[in-house]
Amino acid sequence: MTIPAITLNDGTDIPAVGFGTYKLNGEDGVSAIVNAIDSGYRLLDSAVNYENEGAVGEAVRRSRIPREDLRITSKLPGRHHAYDQALTCIQESLFRTQLGYIDIYLMHWPNPKQGLYVEAWSALVEAQKRGWVKSIGVCNFLPEHLEKIIAASGVTPCINQIELHPYFPQHAQLAWDKAHGIVTQAWSPIGRGNDMAKDPVLQQIADRVGRSVVQVILRWHHQLGAVALPKASSVKRQQENLALFDFELTAADMAAIATLAKPDGRTADQDPAQYEEF
């Protein structure tokens, strides 16, 4: 199976689909992540707040895939946006993963009430200069936040990871990112709960192309130009979630999916109040 590569604005590349590791912790988490690598994933998404950087690092060491062929992501929590705290936090991520460097380091959210995200971005720029991390980016940033850090540093994030799925398609943010050379990654790519998996419009498309609803959703992300980060514990689901690149959705399919956007489509996790502890 060949996964297309996407070139970031710093010249590095990432696979066109990744593996989310949220709630994959301890020995069971390590096993699930090793299985994901064996299934073909080369982009692993972690965070300080997931409390599993150690599990991700251990999975990388246990896998049969060379370290340099993998792309490991972690994220800076909002509570460590002060410059010195941010640098220390990144060092701690390195110590926990024990991987020598982290491929992609993101700010988990702008934490606008605290208002130190420009300072935090400066720390990520410095960490990249020191070789601690290869690429830097952000999560859950709006254009106003992105404009401020770019103006202050002259460095444009290579990635903006946002909630994105058919019920919350974020077309304006996706277009803004693309216009500024930023790759959009999608957390919660298949939404929350099982509502989307039962959607009749998606099911009709899935029946026509002979795929599952989840595969249709993940293919939709790819055709939009977004990098989905699905999570799955079972090997079967992990492999199904990678099988996106040997079929296409038609223009009519994409138009039908575009009608599914809902005013309440965003999840509770996107509510800034949910990020206070981050």
Side-chain angles (χ1 to χ4, degrees), residues 6 8 13-19 43-46 50 71-75 104-106 135 137-140 158-165 170 173-174 177 182-189 221 225-230:
I6 294 175
L8 303 178
D13 62 79
I14 59 171
V17 65
F19 183 72
L43 171 63
L44 307 177
D45 184 75
S46 180
Y50 299 174
R71 301 290 181 268
I72 311 304
T73 300
S74 194
K75 306 183 190 79
I104 303 164
Y105 213 86
L106 310 176
S135 300
V138 297
C139 304
N140 306 301
C158 64
I159 288 167
N160 186 18
Q161 188 181 121
I162 60 175
E163 181 183 7
L164 179 66
H165 50 72
Q170 295 244 54
Q173 185 65 59
L174 191 65
D177 291 348
I182 300 170
V183 170
T184 301
Q185 288 185 338
W187 63 262
S188 192
H221 281 84
V227 177
L229 301 168

Side-chain angles (χ1 to χ4, degrees), residues 54-269:
V56 171
E58 180 63 19
V60 170
R61 288 186 291 276
R62 291 188 194 180
S63 79
R64 298 168 291 180
I65 302 304
R67 165 70 182 95
E68 60 270 19
D69 291 345
L70 299 171
R71 301 290 181 268
I72 311 304
T73 300
S74 194
K75 306 183 190 79
L76 177 75
R79 61 183 177 275
H80 294 317
H81 277 189
Y83 183 83
D84 289 342
Q85 290 182 23
L87 287 176
T88 299
C89 185
I90 296 168
Q91 287 179 312
E92 289 290 346
S93 292
L94 290 167
F95 297 154
R96 283 188 289 269
T97 60
Q98 299 182 49
L99 293 177
Y101 64 91
I102 294 175
D103 298 273
I104 303 164
Y105 213 86
L106 310 176
M107 255 193 288
H108 211 143
W109 77 300
N111 197 2
K113 187 179 294 186
Q114 187 183 53
L116 296 179
Y117 59 89
V118 173
E119 190 171 327
W121 181 245
S122 296
L124 265 66
V125 171
E126 178 61 24
Q128 185 181 41
K129 289 177 180 177
R130 296 184 187 185
W132 298 352
V133 300
K134 301 294 185 182
S135 300
I136 54 176
V138 297
C139 304
N140 306 301
F141 269 52
L142 300 173
E144 64 193 72
H145 307 128
L146 289 161
E147 287 170 347
K148 285 184 180 178
I149 63 173
I150 294 168
S153 66
V155 178
T156 300
C158 64
I159 288 167
N160 186 18
Q161 188 181 121
I162 60 175
E163 181 183 7
L164 179 66
H165 50 72
Y167 288 172
F168 190 48
Q170 295 244 54
H171 293 304
Q173 185 65 59
L174 191 65
W176 198 97
D177 291 348
K178 184 177 181 180
H180 292 80
I182 300 170
V183 170
T184 301
Q185 288 185 338
W187 63 262
S188 192
I190 58 174
R192 298 283 172 167
N194 297 315
D195 289 349
M196 207 176 302
K198 300 173 183 176
D199 189 285
V201 171
L202 295 171
Q203 187 63 63
Q204 186 176 29
I205 295 171
D207 291 343
R208 184 182 62 76
V209 298
R211 299 295 177 126
S212 71
V213 169
V214 170
Q215 287 171 318
V216 167
I217 294 170
L218 295 176
R219 178 68 196 185
W220 171 83
H221 281 84
H222 180 61
Q223 290 185 210
L224 283 181
V227 177
L229 301 168
K231 190 197 82 172
S233 297
S234 76
V235 172
K236 181 175 183 292
R237 281 290 305 278
Q238 290 173 357
Q239 293 173 345
E240 286 179 353
N241 290 347
L242 278 180
L244 319 175
F245 306 109
D246 58 351
F247 75 101
E248 285 192 32
L249 302 178
T250 66
D253 293 334
M254 297 296 285
I257 295 172
T259 69
L260 301 180
K262 299 182 178 182
D264 59 348
R266 69 192 329 194
T267 71
D269 286 343

